Amino acid sequence: MASTVDAARVAEHHEQGEVLSSKLDKLVELMKRSRYTVFYTGAGVSTSAGVGDYRGPSGAWTERRIAQLRGDTTEAGKRELAQLLAEKQREQKKSSGQVNMLDALPAYNHMAVAKLMQKDLAHYVITTNLDGIYRKAGFQAHTQVCFLHGDVYTERCTACGYEFERNYEVRRANIHVHDHFVGVCDKCGSGAPEGYTGRPAPGAETGSGVPFTESRLVGTRDKNCGTKDTHINFGEVLDSIDWKEADEHCKKADLCVVMGTSMSLRHITHFPFLAKQTVIINLQATPDDAKCDLRVWTTCDTAMQGVMRRLGLDIDDMPVWRPKDALSIAELKRRGVRRQYVEAAERLEAFTRSQERFMESNESDREPPAPSAPPLPTRVTLHNNVSQRGEDGLIPWTVSLQDPSSAVDSVVFKLHPTFTPNTVTVNTPPFAVSRRGWGEFAIEITLYLRAGGVRTIRHELCLSSSDVRTIDL
């Protein structure tokens, strides 16, 4: 198979300032005009959640290309290898580390699209990612999201069609790359076909839609063969269920927003262009840059933060995800599930329980509503406190908001994107945020009032001196 990675396409480009701002303005206008908007997403939406991609500077397929070029003695090969290695080094320097895919949680962009769906500004997601993060962000399979290449938590019956939403990665260990058999369906009893051994027939072709009757392996489109995983590996055809969903939703879309994909898998990259208009958001070049209606060169999180800010929206907390067909840890062990997957299921359960305890604690601590709403504040006082520069060259600073009328319920500070997290919610006074840094930048401060309503303040942070501002609302 020809390489889908080269040095020119691995190189990343970042738009900033007025150029980026004007493009995000246009994107928001397109979304407002669209009656049906689809998001088509790839590995780039999950990189900020700690999941590695394939074709980024440190991606798996880039590593493969580097290995191929090490034996290339031509001048062109040497130049490409040098450029790939330089891009990889830059990426590793800025990387904050990766997490196990099964432990990854939704990034800002996942939760932003969830909020856009609530507001009828987005209507469907098609993703090529296997990581299942959209499930953790609250998306429902088939009605809100299509997992075009499958996802790790789906076990699909090839007979009755029931989909088991599991709490562990369902693909079995040490099986042939083109074998997808999982087990017996708990709903209809369909199981492995007669003659199934898990090994391909001698001399038979596998993948590319070769049926069980020829390969002796359970493929992506075989029927009445028990349950299967939904992973799509290279050289395989997509399950017709997922293909039809992507086709249907893209055809009805006024707008398709492509995020975080290099558009390298050409058998599926026609889908976004079935929509009336197409936007591509990606750091790397794609083969389709010239034919889209708007091309934005930035990260998925940065783009969605800009969109949400322009719409006056904020993301919700990550919801509690309880897979509807979860199995107990004891049952996973009884079924012989791979140890790493059992351990990941244990971590998921522990996280979910802690999340539920936190939400219950917040609910019990919440005070009953006052009999009458307090009056809207007429003014607030904004304090900008700056300390002396530290030995590391960074300046400690605090921005706090004083509300004499006690009418502010919570405050959201939106900091520069270089801070992590750069959105800070404070639910109790004093409403303050403290960090260390240098330079000057604007902080967007959103006040949520007890009587209802929202007020937004733009504060230009100055680290040269402390000051106090009185702001009329």
Side-chain angles (χ1 to χ4, degrees):
M1 181 180 69
S3 175
T4 57
V5 171
D6 59 58
R9 290 184 59 189
V10 166
E12 296 183 345
H13 309 276
H14 298 256
E15 290 177 322
Q16 297 177 343
E18 288 302 316
V19 174
L20 177 60
S21 180
S22 64
K23 288 188 176 182
L24 294 181
D25 288 342
K26 182 176 180 180
L27 173 58
V28 169
E29 287 305 311
L30 290 174
M31 293 176 63
K32 287 180 177 178
R33 291 201 299 264
S34 172
R35 293 168 298 176
Y36 197 85
T37 298
V38 171
F39 278 78
Y40 180 97
T41 70
V45 300
S46 295
T47 52
S48 57
V51 180
D53 61 8
Y54 287 98
R55 295 175 180 82
S58 296
W61 285 92
T62 304
E63 294 286 359
R64 179 175 182 241
R65 181 61 175 159
I66 287 173
Q68 292 172 343
L69 289 171
R70 290 193 187 278
D72 191 337
T73 57
T74 65
E75 288 302 314
K78 290 177 181 178
R79 285 195 301 270
E80 184 178 351
L81 176 61
Q83 188 172 346
L84 286 175
L85 289 173
E87 291 287 348
K88 175 183 175 181
Q89 186 177 28
R90 281 192 288 270
E91 181 75 5
Q92 289 175 336
K93 283 182 178 179
K94 70 181 181 181
S95 173
S96 59
Q98 295 182 0
V99 302
N100 184 312
M101 179 176 68
L102 298 178
D103 296 328
L105 300 176
Y108 183 95
N109 68 82
H110 295 93
M111 299 309 302
V113 176
K115 173 61 76 172
L116 292 175
M117 279 196 175
Q118 292 178 20
K119 299 297 182 180
D120 201 35
L121 290 166
H123 305 88
Y124 202 73
V125 172
I126 298 166
T127 185
T128 59
N129 296 342
L130 287 165
D131 52 41
I133 293 179
Y134 280 107
R135 291 188 184 276
K136 298 175 183 177
F139 290 75
Q140 299 301 308
H142 305 297
T143 58
Q144 294 177 316
V145 60
C146 167
F147 298 104
L148 195 56
H149 284 170
D151 84 307
V152 293
Y153 300 109
T154 300
E155 179 182 348
R156 180 179 291 168
C157 180
T158 61
C160 68
Y162 184 85
E163 283 195 2
F164 298 87
E165 184 185 50
R166 301 300 196 188
N167 55 330
Y168 67 99
E169 180 163 351
V170 302
R171 185 163 173 81
R172 294 184 300 129
N174 304 318
I175 62 174
H176 190 279
V177 66
H178 295 310
D179 184 21
H180 297 272
F181 178 73
V182 173
V184 176
C185 178
D186 295 337
K187 299 294 183 181
C188 71
S190 177
E194 185 178 351
Y196 173 79
T197 64
R199 296 186 300 275
E205 291 188 13
T206 62
S208 301
V210 180
F212 175 82
T213 52
E214 297 177 21
S215 69
R216 314 309 288 175
L217 300 175
V218 175
T220 59
R221 292 193 173 185
D222 280 312
K223 302 297 182 184
N224 301 314
C225 296
T227 63
K228 65 173 184 178
D229 64 64
T230 56
H231 293 212
I232 299 295
N233 296 313
F234 286 98
E236 294 183 329
V237 295
L238 274 65
D239 191 314
S240 57
I241 293 172
D242 308 308
W243 180 279
K244 289 176 182 177
E245 282 184 5
D247 184 72
E248 172 192 349
H249 288 278
C250 286
K251 281 180 176 176
K252 69 189 287 188
D254 295 313
L255 176 67
C256 182
V257 181
V258 178
M259 289 203 308
T261 170
S262 61
M263 302 285 277
S264 296
L265 301 177
R266 304 306 288 170
H267 62 292
I268 55 173
T269 52
H270 68 286
F271 283 127
F273 294 95
L274 296 176
K276 293 182 177 67
Q277 291 184 295
T278 305
V279 175
I280 297 179
I281 302 169
N282 199 52
L283 289 174
Q284 300 166 310
T286 83
D288 302 299
D289 290 343
K291 71 179 189 180
C292 64
D293 298 277
L294 176 64
R295 181 62 166 93
V296 186
W297 302 81
T298 190
T299 66
C300 302
D301 278 0
T302 299
M304 294 313 297
Q305 286 163 0
V307 166
M308 299 294 277
R309 185 165 58 249
R310 285 161 174 78
L311 293 170
L313 299 174
D314 202 357
I315 62 173
D316 294 330
D317 291 333
M318 172 186 166
V320 172
W321 179 53
R322 284 283 184 186
K324 63 183 178 65
D325 302 293
L327 298 177
S328 68
I329 300 301
E331 178 62 16
L332 295 183
K333 292 178 179 178
R334 189 192 69 80
R335 294 191 179 196
V337 173
R338 184 185 294 191
R339 178 176 57 82
Q340 295 95 314
Y341 297 167
V342 175
E343 292 173 351
E346 290 176 323
R347 293 192 298 272
L348 176 62
E349 176 64 22
F351 171 79
T352 303
R353 287 181 178 175
S354 66
Q355 190 182 18
E356 289 172 333
R357 285 195 297 269
F358 177 78
M359 295 178 70
E360 289 170 1
S361 174
N362 278 0
E363 190 67 29
S364 62
D365 290 344
R366 188 172 297 170
E367 296 181 2
S372 60
L376 291 177
T378 57
R379 61 179 50 183
V380 294
T381 306
L382 194 64
H383 296 257
N384 190 95
N385 299 314
V386 180
S387 303
Q388 291 185 344
R389 187 184 300 270
E391 294 181 359
D392 57 2
L394 301 180
I395 301 172
W397 57 266
T398 299
V399 173
S400 60
L401 186 127
Q402 304 297 323
D403 169 31
S405 62
S406 300
V408 176
D409 182 60
S410 63
V411 176
V412 176
F413 297 88
K414 290 190 176 180
L415 311 179
H416 192 272
T418 55
F419 289 95
T420 304
N422 72 321
T423 300
V424 180
T425 301
V426 184
N427 295 312
T428 57
F431 302 106
V433 60
S434 299
R435 291 290 188 272
R436 294 165 60 84
W438 57 273
E440 299 181 359
F441 61 91
I443 300 178
E444 185 178 288
I445 305 173
T446 303
L447 285 64
Y448 292 85
L449 308 177
R450 294 183 186 276
V454 179
R455 301 289 187 274
T456 300
I457 302 168
R458 181 180 174 87
H459 173 59
E460 298 292 337
L461 178 68
C462 176
L463 299 183
S464 59
S465 62
S466 299
D467 66 343
V468 178
R469 296 169 55 200
T470 300
I471 301 170
D472 293 320
L473 299 178

